[in-house]
Amino acid sequence: MAQLDRRTFLAGAAVVAFDPVTSHWLTSFPENTSAIQIPHLDGELVTDEQSLTEAATDYGHLAHRRPRAVLRPGSVRDVATVVRFANEHRLTVAARGQGHSTFGQAQTDGGVVIDFRTLATIHEITPDRAVVDAGVQWLDLIRAALAAGVAPPVSTDYLGLSVGGTLSVGGIGGASQHFGLLVDNALELEVVTGEGRLVTCSADQERDLFEAVLGGLGQFAVIVRATVRLVTAPTMARVYTLTYPRITDLTAAQRAVLADGRFDYLEGQLVPTDDDGFAFVLEGGSWFTSAPPDDDVLLTGLAPSGVDVVDVTYFEWLNRIYETVEQIEALRLPSPWLNVFLPDAATDEIVTELLTTLTPADAGGVALLYPTNRSLITRPQVVVPEGPVFFLLALLRAVSPPDDAEAERLIAENDALYARVRAAGGTGYPVNALHLSPADWRDHYADRWPAVRSAKARYDPRRVLAPGQGIFEAVSRASGTP
Ligand SMILES: Cc1cc2nc3c(=O)[nH]c(=O)nc-3n(C[C@H](O)[C@H](O)[C@H](O)COP(=O)(O)OP(=O)(O)OC[C@H]3O[C@@H](n4cnc5c(N)ncnc54)[C@H](O)[C@@H]3O)c2cc1C
């Protein structure tokens, strides 16, 4: 989804009043004593059919919760104004970056969605950091940063995600083995808390709030602006695609190269084969600007059954799947994704077991499997398995042609696999199509749950924010208590 210019919406019918008795937003001020004028906004609040329908779906096309209004903020102040208004009138608010959630995480039933595509300015790029609005897509930031010879140290595989949306979940990629997640590379945030306070936070200032928000699934504050780390960028990437006959050969090779850190980028895939099975592929990348890397050194001891080596520009590599995803997205296929973090010790057993039933059709084509180092993941809200190494397993399922029953079957499979992963000490990477109750979320956070609950009480006491995650029960409108 592209960035939008707020001016393209100004012709739409903007909200001017709110009726707290019926919870309806009004585009004209009626002779109705219960209606109240909404505060001044630099952007606009809209209730047109197209905006509400768009905000009631996401990349997954599985959950549909319809808001009553959509804010297209014209300023940071608009976000604070609407969150405060929501507090006064017991409304819920869901920030929406690019809506690339798969199960309604950025939706709200009857509340207000804040569409961050209109708050998407890159304010500053220096040799070691960028200051950007939360609605900026990584693709735009990376383009601008590379023009200055710098780039974020870690990127997600797909760059059409917003800075605010990814910093709310974590942000993992093939360079996480060396640099942690996107959240580990966030230096400072400007946020609007659930009560509507605009606060700047970092490791040195309001640290508790900073750590609550990074990977905090939108529960405590809305990110409006972020300062993120940049490093000197290479110009080229040499990419090695190493094929292995068995899953355990792949994971053994991945563990070896993770341990010695020889690649700048490390991922891996289960790739569909002609006989309806999978081939096992290690994807290693080595960045360079002048002299290319030494293939013999990089391939020492790896013994793949097939090797493919290509050189591409660094930008082409970072942006390698953008077009494909745009084409898939246009098909609007139900996409019941499952992303889990597996403890190293259980990975071979769980994936081997999974492969006895998993078909390429059920996996949505390519599935991702790669290890990373836990010690670099420093933000407390990101829940990962114990042990120095864990693997990401990502089933990027898509139901084609769309079929509700088939989507439900795959979500039920997600539920079962998630239970198996939890029992083995694994965790969910919370971007999934899963049925999670508040009790399941308590189980997810485990020892951290008291801290999560108390951060919610401190920063979003009326439980206004991000109801689509389903972590907390709604506050009772009658009593005002949880
Ligand atoms: C094609 C595709 C590829 C992906 N690849 C990767 C990958 O390589 N690595 C990876 O880690 N993840 C990946 N993801 C998952 C992705 O990081 C998350 O789904 C992310 O939340 C999507 O970003 P978004 O801007 O669309 O967020 P949204 O879906 O809009 O929002 C996600 C959550 O964050 C909240 N939120 C959004 N903006 C803000 C804000 N400004 N402040 C506070 N809360 C906010 C929302 O309310 C919601 O709860 C991928 C997803 C897709 C669809």
Side-chain angles (χ1 to χ4, degrees), residues 190-205:
E190 255 182 64
V191 303
V192 171
T193 67
E195 292 172 294
R197 277 189 307 129
L198 179 61
V199 185
T200 301
C201 56
S202 67
D204 304 320
Q205 186 183 349

PDB file of all heavy atoms in Angstrom, residues 190-205:
ATOM      1  N   GLU A 190       9.025   9.268  19.830  1.00  0.00           N
ATOM      2  CA  GLU A 190       8.008  10.203  20.316  1.00  0.00           C
ATOM      3  C   GLU A 190       6.710   9.424  20.290  1.00  0.00           C
ATOM      4  O   GLU A 190       6.366   8.827  19.254  1.00  0.00           O
ATOM      5  CB  GLU A 190       7.882  11.391  19.370  1.00  0.00           C
ATOM      6  CG  GLU A 190       8.510  12.656  19.882  1.00  0.00           C
ATOM      7  CD  GLU A 190       8.311  13.805  18.920  1.00  0.00           C
ATOM      8  OE1 GLU A 190       7.165  14.200  18.698  1.00  0.00           O
ATOM      9  OE2 GLU A 190       9.320  14.265  18.386  1.00  0.00           O
ATOM     10  N   VAL A 191       6.022   9.418  21.402  1.00  0.00           N
ATOM     11  CA  VAL A 191       4.804   8.607  21.475  1.00  0.00           C
ATOM     12  C   VAL A 191       3.669   9.417  22.085  1.00  0.00           C
ATOM     13  O   VAL A 191       3.896  10.389  22.803  1.00  0.00           O
ATOM     14  CB  VAL A 191       5.028   7.326  22.313  1.00  0.00           C
ATOM     15  CG1 VAL A 191       6.176   6.486  21.768  1.00  0.00           C
ATOM     16  CG2 VAL A 191       5.248   7.633  23.786  1.00  0.00           C
ATOM     17  N   VAL A 192       2.458   8.962  21.797  1.00  0.00           N
ATOM     18  CA  VAL A 192       1.272   9.476  22.474  1.00  0.00           C
ATOM     19  C   VAL A 192       0.756   8.327  23.329  1.00  0.00           C
ATOM     20  O   VAL A 192       0.390   7.269  22.799  1.00  0.00           O
ATOM     21  CB  VAL A 192       0.202   9.921  21.451  1.00  0.00           C
ATOM     22  CG1 VAL A 192      -1.105  10.250  22.163  1.00  0.00           C
ATOM     23  CG2 VAL A 192       0.701  11.108  20.652  1.00  0.00           C
ATOM     24  N   THR A 193       0.779   8.507  24.635  1.00  0.00           N
ATOM     25  CA  THR A 193       0.361   7.409  25.513  1.00  0.00           C
ATOM     26  C   THR A 193      -1.151   7.182  25.389  1.00  0.00           C
ATOM     27  O   THR A 193      -1.868   8.009  24.809  1.00  0.00           O
ATOM     28  CB  THR A 193       0.674   7.719  26.992  1.00  0.00           C
ATOM     29  OG1 THR A 193      -0.182   8.811  27.391  1.00  0.00           O
ATOM     30  CG2 THR A 193       2.131   8.070  27.196  1.00  0.00           C
ATOM     31  N   GLY A 194      -1.605   6.101  25.964  1.00  0.00           N
ATOM     32  CA  GLY A 194      -3.031   5.782  25.917  1.00  0.00           C
ATOM     33  C   GLY A 194      -3.912   6.840  26.553  1.00  0.00           C
ATOM     34  O   GLY A 194      -5.110   6.907  26.283  1.00  0.00           O
ATOM     35  N   GLU A 195      -3.305   7.697  27.381  1.00  0.00           N
ATOM     36  CA  GLU A 195      -4.084   8.806  27.961  1.00  0.00           C
ATOM     37  C   GLU A 195      -4.018  10.051  27.097  1.00  0.00           C
ATOM     38  O   GLU A 195      -4.667  11.050  27.396  1.00  0.00           O
ATOM     39  CB  GLU A 195      -3.519   9.169  29.338  1.00  0.00           C
ATOM     40  CG  GLU A 195      -3.720   8.120  30.372  1.00  0.00           C
ATOM     41  CD  GLU A 195      -2.950   8.487  31.634  1.00  0.00           C
ATOM     42  OE1 GLU A 195      -1.703   8.499  31.583  1.00  0.00           O
ATOM     43  OE2 GLU A 195      -3.597   8.785  32.635  1.00  0.00           O
ATOM     44  N   GLY A 196      -3.159  10.041  26.075  1.00  0.00           N
ATOM     45  CA  GLY A 196      -3.079  11.197  25.174  1.00  0.00           C
ATOM     46  C   GLY A 196      -1.923  12.131  25.474  1.00  0.00           C
ATOM     47  O   GLY A 196      -1.888  13.255  24.988  1.00  0.00           O
ATOM     48  N   ARG A 197      -0.954  11.678  26.297  1.00  0.00           N
ATOM     49  CA  ARG A 197       0.219  12.512  26.599  1.00  0.00           C
ATOM     50  C   ARG A 197       1.271  12.314  25.518  1.00  0.00           C
ATOM     51  O   ARG A 197       1.593  11.167  25.183  1.00  0.00           O
ATOM     52  CB  ARG A 197       0.846  12.109  27.935  1.00  0.00           C
ATOM     53  CG  ARG A 197       0.188  12.731  29.148  1.00  0.00           C
ATOM     54  CD  ARG A 197       1.008  12.456  30.403  1.00  0.00           C
ATOM     55  NE  ARG A 197       1.316  11.040  30.612  1.00  0.00           N
ATOM     56  CZ  ARG A 197       2.529  10.555  30.844  1.00  0.00           C
ATOM     57  NH1 ARG A 197       3.572  11.369  30.874  1.00  0.00           N
ATOM     58  NH2 ARG A 197       2.722   9.275  31.045  1.00  0.00           N
ATOM     59  N   LEU A 198       1.839  13.400  24.993  1.00  0.00           N
ATOM     60  CA  LEU A 198       2.928  13.301  24.022  1.00  0.00           C
ATOM     61  C   LEU A 198       4.241  13.263  24.793  1.00  0.00           C
ATOM     62  O   LEU A 198       4.552  14.200  25.544  1.00  0.00           O
ATOM     63  CB  LEU A 198       2.886  14.522  23.084  1.00  0.00           C
ATOM     64  CG  LEU A 198       3.967  14.595  22.009  1.00  0.00           C
ATOM     65  CD1 LEU A 198       3.891  13.413  21.056  1.00  0.00           C
ATOM     66  CD2 LEU A 198       3.831  15.914  21.224  1.00  0.00           C
ATOM     67  N   VAL A 199       5.013  12.185  24.639  1.00  0.00           N
ATOM     68  CA  VAL A 199       6.225  11.986  25.438  1.00  0.00           C
ATOM     69  C   VAL A 199       7.371  11.553  24.521  1.00  0.00           C
ATOM     70  O   VAL A 199       7.176  10.746  23.615  1.00  0.00           O
ATOM     71  CB  VAL A 199       6.015  10.866  26.500  1.00  0.00           C
ATOM     72  CG1 VAL A 199       7.233  10.737  27.406  1.00  0.00           C
ATOM     73  CG2 VAL A 199       4.764  11.104  27.325  1.00  0.00           C
ATOM     74  N   THR A 200       8.556  12.096  24.786  1.00  0.00           N
ATOM     75  CA  THR A 200       9.759  11.608  24.109  1.00  0.00           C
ATOM     76  C   THR A 200      10.426  10.607  25.041  1.00  0.00           C
ATOM     77  O   THR A 200      10.588  10.887  26.237  1.00  0.00           O
ATOM     78  CB  THR A 200      10.727  12.777  23.830  1.00  0.00           C
ATOM     79  OG1 THR A 200      10.035  13.723  23.010  1.00  0.00           O
ATOM     80  CG2 THR A 200      11.972  12.304  23.107  1.00  0.00           C
ATOM     81  N   CYS A 201      10.772   9.447  24.516  1.00  0.00           N
ATOM     82  CA  CYS A 201      11.381   8.441  25.393  1.00  0.00           C
ATOM     83  C   CYS A 201      12.552   7.754  24.688  1.00  0.00           C
ATOM     84  O   CYS A 201      12.603   7.677  23.460  1.00  0.00           O
ATOM     85  CB  CYS A 201      10.339   7.429  25.864  1.00  0.00           C
ATOM     86  SG  CYS A 201       9.441   6.582  24.568  1.00  0.00           S
ATOM     87  N   SER A 202      13.477   7.276  25.503  1.00  0.00           N
ATOM     88  CA  SER A 202      14.677   6.603  24.987  1.00  0.00           C
ATOM     89  C   SER A 202      15.263   5.791  26.144  1.00  0.00           C
ATOM     90  O   SER A 202      14.680   5.746  27.233  1.00  0.00           O
ATOM     91  CB  SER A 202      15.703   7.640  24.514  1.00  0.00           C
ATOM     92  OG  SER A 202      16.176   8.356  25.632  1.00  0.00           O
ATOM     93  N   ALA A 203      16.450   5.221  25.920  1.00  0.00           N
ATOM     94  CA  ALA A 203      17.088   4.467  27.000  1.00  0.00           C
ATOM     95  C   ALA A 203      17.450   5.375  28.170  1.00  0.00           C
ATOM     96  O   ALA A 203      17.604   4.918  29.305  1.00  0.00           O
ATOM     97  CB  ALA A 203      18.324   3.759  26.477  1.00  0.00           C
ATOM     98  N   ASP A 204      17.597   6.694  27.901  1.00  0.00           N
ATOM     99  CA  ASP A 204      18.008   7.634  28.962  1.00  0.00           C
ATOM    100  C   ASP A 204      16.870   8.483  29.499  1.00  0.00           C
ATOM    101  O   ASP A 204      17.057   9.221  30.459  1.00  0.00           O
ATOM    102  CB  ASP A 204      19.083   8.605  28.419  1.00  0.00           C
ATOM    103  CG  ASP A 204      20.262   7.854  27.857  1.00  0.00           C
ATOM    104  OD1 ASP A 204      20.658   6.848  28.470  1.00  0.00           O
ATOM    105  OD2 ASP A 204      20.757   8.244  26.779  1.00  0.00           O
ATOM    106  N   GLN A 205      15.730   8.431  28.860  1.00  0.00           N
ATOM    107  CA  GLN A 205      14.637   9.332  29.229  1.00  0.00           C
ATOM    108  C   GLN A 205      13.344   8.529  29.163  1.00  0.00           C
ATOM    109  O   GLN A 205      13.035   7.952  28.113  1.00  0.00           O
ATOM    110  CB  GLN A 205      14.606  10.460  28.180  1.00  0.00           C
ATOM    111  CG  GLN A 205      13.657  11.572  28.441  1.00  0.00           C
ATOM    112  CD  GLN A 205      13.675  12.580  27.273  1.00  0.00           C
ATOM    113  OE1 GLN A 205      14.527  12.529  26.390  1.00  0.00           O
ATOM    114  NE2 GLN A 205      12.724  13.489  27.269  1.00  0.00           N
TER     115      GLN A 205
END
